[in-house]
Structures are given as C-alpha cells and as structure tokens.
Amino acid sequence: MTENRWFTELIDGSYGMTIRVDREIYRGRSDYQTIEIFENDALGRVMVLDGAVMLIEAHEFAYHEMLVHPPLLAHPNPRRVLIIGGGDGGTLREAVKHAGVEEAVLCEIDEAVIATSREFLPFTAQGLDSPKATLHVGDGIAYIRENEGAFDVVIVDSTDPVGFAEGLFRTPFYEDCKRALRPGGVFVQQTESPFYQFDAWTRIFKELNASFGRVDAYAAGIPMYPSGFWTFGMASEGLDPLAHFDPRRTEALGELRYYHPELQTRAFALPAFAERALAK
Ligand code: AG3
C-alpha cells in the first residue's frame, strides 16, 4: 500500500486547508512561481501556485461565475473585456458566454500557467480557445497603461496581493484601470477574504474608494479558498449594479451553477464587521 500524500495550504502560517493528493499530475517552476497540479478522487484536479490553491475542479465554477457575471450584467452593453491574470481560462470561459462581448483580451504574466492549464485543465482552458479570446503574455500593470479608453470591463483575476501581484491592488494601478475604461465602464477584482489579513483587505477597499467614484463589495461562498468566504470589489464612476440589470441577459448565458439574478443584489450584503470596515 502506498502512503497518502496530503497537500496543505497554510493560512496565516498557523493552520490550513488540506487535500489528499491521489495523483500527482505536474510539478514545475516557471520564471514567476512554482506550479503544481494534482488530482483528488472527490474534487478532481487542483492547481496550486506558490503554495496557494488557485482552483479546484469541483468548485471553480463558484469563483469564475461570481467574478464575471455581476460586473458584466451591471454594465448595459459590455463589448470589450480585459482580464488580467486568469491564465487558467476559467474567467474567459464565463466572459465569452455574454453574447454582446465581441472580444475578451487575456493579459497573463506567466506563459507557463497558460501552457499547463491547456495541457491539464481542459475544463477551464476551453475558454482560451474561444474565437472571441485574444491572448497576451505580459505584465498587466504595463499593459493597462498602453490601452487608454479601450475596455468596457476590466477584470483582475489574480493571485494574492503578495510578490509580483501586489501592484494589482494599489492606487497607481487603479488609476491606470480607470483610464483604460471606456465611459460607463466597470472594474472588478478578486479581493480576498475579510476573515484573514483583515488589515490588507480593508486597505484594498480604501485604495479602490480613493480612485473610483463608486465601489461595491460583494461576496460568495468559495470553498477552495481560505475561509471559504470570498469577496470581490466592483468599481466604476457611478454604475449601480442593478441600474441596467436585465434578467433576460442572465437567461441567455445558459445554465449557471452559482450565479442567479437575485445575487445581483443579495451578494452585496457582507458580514457586519466587514461592512463596518468599509464604512470607515
Ligand atoms: N484566483 C486566485 C484567488 C486567490 C486565492 N488565494 C489563495 N488560495 N490563498 C486566481 C485563479 C482562478 N482563475
């Protein structure tokens, strides 16, 4: 009998989320990070970057649907979308479901994430092959500066705000994103969990608020990430997430597994401690 190997993502260095490794699929080091893919019999394939779980096959739908559909349905007519990060393709897969989206540009810094996803994660990588997708390998912080007034929606699907991703959670980047948006455009970012690194979480929203005219935080149950309670920040010059909301556009997306029209309001209710931090 072979001994079980277990993978643990440590949370704040003091406890963790543990998954049994039933099959090792890939392990490598790119110019930016370590990339590990393994399989668990109950949950399917798991992708880990620098020790942090990026996606689990059984649960990725929750994250990718909730990152993409609230902002795209808040916008009256999103035609050009930019995704920064997201090299696994899951965010692209959801964005191109919107009939009005003509082009979704993916700007991923690490080519190896795209290549390993294509090889081992077909369930998300299918998004990369969409005829509406344009792939660009490069630093999102530089790319956004060169694309003024080019996008209706900018989506940041990044790793945690440490190392090379840290700049994606800072004011200079937010200012550039504002310039990259067309009039009436909307920005959205995965914004971690308020249950951990609370000060960092609060700071992200403070900086978003300093740059944008309107910021709305929303949440979803994402069991593959620390605490399972995850948030997103939607920012614009004043777009109400419900103002242009048309449930018929949701129906046209086909059957979704997490997002449904009521979440366009209900997902925006956060726990009291988090709401208090945002109100300050
Ligand atoms: N989304 C990764 C969110 C951060 C997860 N953090 C963690 N496990 N510590 C990017 C991958 C999905 N497209």
Side-chain angles (χ1 to χ4, degrees):
M1 222 178 72
T2 55
E3 214 166 291
N4 286 330
R5 201 196 129 211
W6 295 82
F7 163 82
T8 297
E9 173 174 346
L10 277 183
I11 298 166
D12 283 351
S14 68
Y15 58 107
M17 179 174 74
T18 297
I19 313 168
R20 197 181 58 226
V21 179
D22 291 316
R23 263 165 306 283
E24 303 212 12
I25 304 287
Y26 174 85
R27 190 198 288 265
R29 229 212 106 73
S30 71
D31 292 343
Y32 294 93
Q33 54 207 338
T34 59
I35 303 177
E36 191 180 351
I37 296 174
F38 63 86
E39 203 166 72
N40 170 277
D41 287 340
L43 301 173
R45 296 211 164 166
V46 180
M47 180 167 75
V48 178
L49 300 181
D50 275 349
V53 171
M54 290 296 114
L55 63 84
I56 297 182
E57 186 170 358
H59 299 147
E60 55 83 11
F61 72 93
Y63 173 84
H64 290 123
E65 288 185 16
M66 288 303 285
L67 176 62
V68 171
H69 301 311
L72 264 79
L73 292 162
H75 191 288
N77 179 25
R79 289 185 290 120
R80 274 198 98 219
V81 176
L82 171 66
I83 298 160
I84 293 179
D88 56 77
T91 297
L92 257 177
R93 181 193 66 203
E94 295 306 313
V96 298
K97 286 180 182 172
H98 292 254
V101 170
E102 292 156 8
E103 187 185 15
V105 178
L106 181 95
C107 180
E108 163 65 56
I109 198 167
D110 192 348
E111 197 166 17
V113 171
I114 297 177
T116 47
S117 301
R118 275 197 198 283
E119 196 168 351
F120 303 113
L121 309 173
F123 50 91
T124 53
Q126 57 175 267
L128 302 167
D129 295 324
S130 163
K132 295 179 180 181
T134 304
L135 307 188
H136 178 84
V137 174
D139 183 354
I141 293 173
Y143 184 84
I144 198 92
R145 275 191 222 125
E146 296 149 16
N147 283 275
E148 243 174 80
F151 299 101
D152 298 302
V153 184
V154 172
I155 302 175
V156 180
D157 179 14
S158 72
T159 53
D160 298 334
V162 286
F164 63 85
E166 211 217 313
L168 299 173
F169 295 82
R170 292 290 185 177
T171 303
F173 173 69
Y174 295 152
E175 292 294 327
D176 291 335
C177 285
K178 234 168 47 176
R179 279 189 285 271
L181 287 172
R182 289 169 168 169
V186 61
F187 170 88
V188 72
Q189 176 169 42
Q190 76 82 6
T191 50
E192 309 286 305
S193 176
F195 283 97
Y196 301 108
Q197 315 268 333
F198 180 67
D199 293 345
W201 184 84
T202 307
R203 187 192 51 72
I204 293 169
F205 281 95
K206 196 168 262 162
E207 295 200 22
L208 276 173
N209 269 303
S211 292
F212 289 93
R214 175 172 179 147
V215 178
D216 294 278
Y218 64 98
I222 315 280
M224 63 191 184
Y225 296 153
S227 86
F229 181 86
W230 211 253
T231 63
F232 305 87
M234 195 192 290
S236 66
E237 286 318 298
L239 185 69
D240 179 332
L242 267 185
H244 304 279
F245 183 66
D246 178 355
R248 280 169 309 181
R249 273 173 60 202
T250 314
E251 279 161 39
L253 299 173
E255 190 171 271
L256 301 176
R257 295 172 69 200
Y258 195 106
Y259 183 86
H260 60 79
E262 290 206 3
L263 290 176
Q264 196 72 11
T265 42
R266 292 191 185 177
F268 291 82
L270 262 48
F273 77 96
E275 294 281 4
R276 270 197 293 272
L278 296 184
K280 268 194 218 136

mmCIF file of all heavy atoms in Angstrom, residues 17 19 43 53 56 58-63 220-230 258:
data_model
loop_
_atom_site.group_PDB
_atom_site.id
_atom_site.type_symbol
_atom_site.label_atom_id
_atom_site.label_comp_id
_atom_site.label_asym_id
_atom_site.label_seq_id
_atom_site.Cartn_x
_atom_site.Cartn_y
_atom_site.Cartn_z
ATOM 1 N N MET A 17 -5.701 24.340 4.957
ATOM 2 C CA MET A 17 -6.711 23.598 4.218
ATOM 3 C C MET A 17 -5.990 22.418 3.558
ATOM 4 O O MET A 17 -5.022 22.612 2.828
ATOM 5 C CB MET A 17 -7.327 24.498 3.156
ATOM 6 C CG MET A 17 -8.373 23.794 2.327
ATOM 7 S SD MET A 17 -9.205 24.934 1.182
ATOM 8 C CE MET A 17 -7.917 25.162 -0.029
ATOM 9 N N ILE A 19 -5.829 18.751 1.383
ATOM 10 C CA ILE A 19 -6.459 17.953 0.329
ATOM 11 C C ILE A 19 -5.587 16.722 0.080
ATOM 12 O O ILE A 19 -4.363 16.852 -0.034
ATOM 13 C CB ILE A 19 -6.570 18.753 -0.997
ATOM 14 C CG1 ILE A 19 -7.124 20.168 -0.742
ATOM 15 C CG2 ILE A 19 -7.440 18.006 -2.001
ATOM 16 C CD1 ILE A 19 -6.975 21.096 -1.947
ATOM 17 N N LEU A 43 -12.630 15.616 -5.568
ATOM 18 C CA LEU A 43 -12.723 17.016 -6.018
ATOM 19 C C LEU A 43 -12.183 17.266 -7.415
ATOM 20 O O LEU A 43 -12.378 18.338 -7.978
ATOM 21 C CB LEU A 43 -11.983 17.929 -5.035
ATOM 22 C CG LEU A 43 -12.495 17.894 -3.590
ATOM 23 C CD1 LEU A 43 -11.579 18.699 -2.680
ATOM 24 C CD2 LEU A 43 -13.922 18.429 -3.507
ATOM 25 N N VAL A 53 -3.794 27.571 -3.353
ATOM 26 C CA VAL A 53 -4.749 26.935 -4.269
ATOM 27 C C VAL A 53 -5.369 27.987 -5.181
ATOM 28 O O VAL A 53 -5.927 28.983 -4.716
ATOM 29 C CB VAL A 53 -5.871 26.214 -3.479
ATOM 30 C CG1 VAL A 53 -6.976 25.738 -4.424
ATOM 31 C CG2 VAL A 53 -5.297 25.040 -2.700
ATOM 32 N N ILE A 56 -9.912 24.425 -7.842
ATOM 33 C CA ILE A 56 -10.254 23.016 -7.660
ATOM 34 C C ILE A 56 -11.384 22.744 -8.644
ATOM 35 O O ILE A 56 -12.358 23.506 -8.709
ATOM 36 C CB ILE A 56 -10.703 22.734 -6.211
ATOM 37 C CG1 ILE A 56 -9.552 23.008 -5.227
ATOM 38 C CG2 ILE A 56 -11.196 21.301 -6.072
ATOM 39 C CD1 ILE A 56 -9.888 22.720 -3.765
ATOM 40 N N ALA A 58 -13.909 20.852 -8.830
ATOM 41 C CA ALA A 58 -15.297 20.748 -8.365
ATOM 42 C C ALA A 58 -15.892 22.095 -7.951
ATOM 43 O O ALA A 58 -17.113 22.232 -7.885
ATOM 44 C CB ALA A 58 -15.368 19.778 -7.187
ATOM 45 N N HIS A 59 -15.044 23.068 -7.640
ATOM 46 C CA HIS A 59 -15.549 24.312 -7.056
ATOM 47 C C HIS A 59 -15.253 25.568 -7.858
ATOM 48 O O HIS A 59 -15.739 26.651 -7.504
ATOM 49 C CB HIS A 59 -14.980 24.509 -5.647
ATOM 50 C CG HIS A 59 -15.350 23.411 -4.691
ATOM 51 N ND1 HIS A 59 -14.526 22.978 -3.678
ATOM 52 C CD2 HIS A 59 -16.459 22.632 -4.623
ATOM 53 C CE1 HIS A 59 -15.107 21.994 -3.026
ATOM 54 N NE2 HIS A 59 -16.281 21.758 -3.572
ATOM 55 N N GLU A 60 -14.455 25.461 -8.924
ATOM 56 C CA GLU A 60 -14.026 26.682 -9.624
ATOM 57 C C GLU A 60 -15.202 27.455 -10.219
ATOM 58 O O GLU A 60 -15.117 28.666 -10.404
ATOM 59 C CB GLU A 60 -12.951 26.380 -10.670
ATOM 60 C CG GLU A 60 -13.275 25.320 -11.728
ATOM 61 C CD GLU A 60 -14.072 25.838 -12.903
ATOM 62 O OE1 GLU A 60 -14.224 27.052 -13.035
ATOM 63 O OE2 GLU A 60 -14.570 24.994 -13.686
ATOM 64 N N PHE A 61 -16.305 26.766 -10.510
ATOM 65 C CA PHE A 61 -17.459 27.454 -11.102
ATOM 66 C C PHE A 61 -17.916 28.605 -10.220
ATOM 67 O O PHE A 61 -18.318 29.668 -10.707
ATOM 68 C CB PHE A 61 -18.610 26.466 -11.373
ATOM 69 C CG PHE A 61 -19.310 25.974 -10.131
ATOM 70 C CD1 PHE A 61 -20.444 26.623 -9.654
ATOM 71 C CD2 PHE A 61 -18.848 24.868 -9.423
ATOM 72 C CE1 PHE A 61 -21.100 26.183 -8.506
ATOM 73 C CE2 PHE A 61 -19.495 24.418 -8.283
ATOM 74 C CZ PHE A 61 -20.620 25.076 -7.815
ATOM 75 N N ALA A 62 -17.882 28.398 -8.896
ATOM 76 C CA ALA A 62 -18.392 29.417 -7.967
ATOM 77 C C ALA A 62 -17.591 30.709 -8.119
ATOM 78 O O ALA A 62 -18.152 31.808 -8.252
ATOM 79 C CB ALA A 62 -18.321 28.905 -6.532
ATOM 80 N N TYR A 63 -16.287 30.574 -8.123
ATOM 81 C CA TYR A 63 -15.407 31.752 -8.238
ATOM 82 C C TYR A 63 -15.529 32.408 -9.608
ATOM 83 O O TYR A 63 -15.720 33.624 -9.709
ATOM 84 C CB TYR A 63 -13.962 31.313 -7.974
ATOM 85 C CG TYR A 63 -12.928 32.379 -8.219
ATOM 86 C CD1 TYR A 63 -12.620 33.339 -7.244
ATOM 87 C CD2 TYR A 63 -12.230 32.428 -9.429
ATOM 88 C CE1 TYR A 63 -11.657 34.310 -7.474
ATOM 89 C CE2 TYR A 63 -11.271 33.399 -9.660
ATOM 90 C CZ TYR A 63 -10.979 34.339 -8.687
ATOM 91 O OH TYR A 63 -10.019 35.291 -8.919
ATOM 92 N N ALA A 220 -19.074 35.691 -2.036
ATOM 93 C CA ALA A 220 -19.596 34.388 -2.458
ATOM 94 C C ALA A 220 -18.945 33.307 -1.615
ATOM 95 O O ALA A 220 -17.862 33.512 -1.059
ATOM 96 C CB ALA A 220 -19.312 34.152 -3.940
ATOM 97 N N GLY A 221 -19.619 32.164 -1.533
ATOM 98 C CA GLY A 221 -19.033 31.004 -0.861
ATOM 99 C C GLY A 221 -18.117 30.304 -1.846
ATOM 100 O O GLY A 221 -18.574 29.776 -2.852
ATOM 101 N N ILE A 222 -16.820 30.345 -1.571
ATOM 102 C CA ILE A 222 -15.840 29.748 -2.481
ATOM 103 C C ILE A 222 -15.018 28.759 -1.656
ATOM 104 O O ILE A 222 -13.987 29.140 -1.072
ATOM 105 C CB ILE A 222 -14.897 30.814 -3.091
ATOM 106 C CG1 ILE A 222 -15.647 32.058 -3.579
ATOM 107 C CG2 ILE A 222 -14.021 30.189 -4.184
ATOM 108 C CD1 ILE A 222 -16.322 31.938 -4.922
ATOM 109 N N PRO A 223 -15.470 27.505 -1.550
ATOM 110 C CA PRO A 223 -14.825 26.588 -0.600
ATOM 111 C C PRO A 223 -13.363 26.283 -0.897
ATOM 112 O O PRO A 223 -12.655 25.790 -0.026
ATOM 113 C CB PRO A 223 -15.686 25.318 -0.698
ATOM 114 C CG PRO A 223 -16.489 25.459 -1.941
ATOM 115 C CD PRO A 223 -16.627 26.920 -2.212
ATOM 116 N N MET A 224 -12.881 26.596 -2.102
ATOM 117 C CA MET A 224 -11.482 26.259 -2.411
ATOM 118 C C MET A 224 -10.474 27.286 -1.879
ATOM 119 O O MET A 224 -9.287 27.049 -1.939
ATOM 120 C CB MET A 224 -11.302 26.078 -3.926
ATOM 121 C CG MET A 224 -11.578 27.310 -4.755
ATOM 122 S SD MET A 224 -11.657 26.874 -6.530
ATOM 123 C CE MET A 224 -11.850 28.501 -7.266
ATOM 124 N N TYR A 225 -10.942 28.416 -1.351
ATOM 125 C CA TYR A 225 -10.037 29.457 -0.845
ATOM 126 C C TYR A 225 -10.153 29.599 0.668
ATOM 127 O O TYR A 225 -11.191 29.277 1.253
ATOM 128 C CB TYR A 225 -10.342 30.805 -1.508
ATOM 129 C CG TYR A 225 -10.102 30.841 -3.012
ATOM 130 C CD1 TYR A 225 -10.802 31.715 -3.821
ATOM 131 C CD2 TYR A 225 -9.160 29.996 -3.619
ATOM 132 C CE1 TYR A 225 -10.590 31.765 -5.193
ATOM 133 C CE2 TYR A 225 -8.940 30.039 -4.989
ATOM 134 C CZ TYR A 225 -9.659 30.918 -5.776
ATOM 135 O OH TYR A 225 -9.449 30.966 -7.122
ATOM 136 N N PRO A 226 -9.095 30.138 1.311
ATOM 137 C CA PRO A 226 -9.080 30.258 2.772
ATOM 138 C C PRO A 226 -10.357 30.877 3.347
ATOM 139 O O PRO A 226 -10.780 31.940 2.892
ATOM 140 C CB PRO A 226 -7.864 31.159 3.034
ATOM 141 C CG PRO A 226 -6.941 30.865 1.888
ATOM 142 C CD PRO A 226 -7.836 30.628 0.708
ATOM 143 N N SER A 227 -10.950 30.199 4.289
ATOM 144 C CA SER A 227 -12.202 30.550 4.988
ATOM 145 C C SER A 227 -13.440 30.159 4.193
ATOM 146 O O SER A 227 -14.527 30.051 4.728
ATOM 147 C CB SER A 227 -12.308 32.043 5.366
ATOM 148 O OG SER A 227 -12.845 32.807 4.291
ATOM 149 N N GLY A 228 -13.314 30.002 2.874
ATOM 150 C CA GLY A 228 -14.475 29.673 2.053
ATOM 151 C C GLY A 228 -15.385 30.854 1.794
ATOM 152 O O GLY A 228 -16.335 30.764 1.027
ATOM 153 N N PHE A 229 -15.075 31.978 2.427
ATOM 154 C CA PHE A 229 -15.881 33.185 2.246
ATOM 155 C C PHE A 229 -15.032 34.198 1.512
ATOM 156 O O PHE A 229 -14.045 34.698 2.060
ATOM 157 C CB PHE A 229 -16.330 33.736 3.606
ATOM 158 C CG PHE A 229 -17.186 34.974 3.494
ATOM 159 C CD1 PHE A 229 -18.558 34.876 3.315
ATOM 160 C CD2 PHE A 229 -16.615 36.240 3.559
ATOM 161 C CE1 PHE A 229 -19.347 36.010 3.194
ATOM 162 C CE2 PHE A 229 -17.400 37.382 3.441
ATOM 163 C CZ PHE A 229 -18.768 37.262 3.264
ATOM 164 N N TRP A 230 -15.383 34.498 0.281
ATOM 165 C CA TRP A 230 -14.505 35.293 -0.576
ATOM 166 C C TRP A 230 -15.203 36.554 -1.056
ATOM 167 O O TRP A 230 -16.434 36.562 -1.172
ATOM 168 C CB TRP A 230 -14.069 34.448 -1.780
ATOM 169 C CG TRP A 230 -12.706 34.822 -2.271
ATOM 170 C CD1 TRP A 230 -12.418 35.502 -3.425
ATOM 171 C CD2 TRP A 230 -11.459 34.570 -1.623
ATOM 172 N NE1 TRP A 230 -11.051 35.673 -3.521
ATOM 173 C CE2 TRP A 230 -10.448 35.117 -2.437
ATOM 174 C CE3 TRP A 230 -11.091 33.946 -0.425
ATOM 175 C CZ2 TRP A 230 -9.092 35.056 -2.106
ATOM 176 C CZ3 TRP A 230 -9.752 33.880 -0.086
ATOM 177 C CH2 TRP A 230 -8.769 34.433 -0.918
ATOM 178 N N TYR A 258 -23.802 28.804 -9.991
ATOM 179 C CA TYR A 258 -23.767 29.624 -8.781
ATOM 180 C C TYR A 258 -24.595 30.897 -8.972
ATOM 181 O O TYR A 258 -25.525 31.156 -8.226
ATOM 182 C CB TYR A 258 -22.325 29.997 -8.412
ATOM 183 C CG TYR A 258 -22.211 30.531 -6.987
ATOM 184 C CD1 TYR A 258 -21.660 29.759 -5.977
ATOM 185 C CD2 TYR A 258 -22.689 31.796 -6.658
ATOM 186 C CE1 TYR A 258 -21.584 30.236 -4.674
ATOM 187 C CE2 TYR A 258 -22.629 32.274 -5.366
ATOM 188 C CZ TYR A 258 -22.070 31.492 -4.372
ATOM 189 O OH TYR A 258 -22.013 31.965 -3.084
#
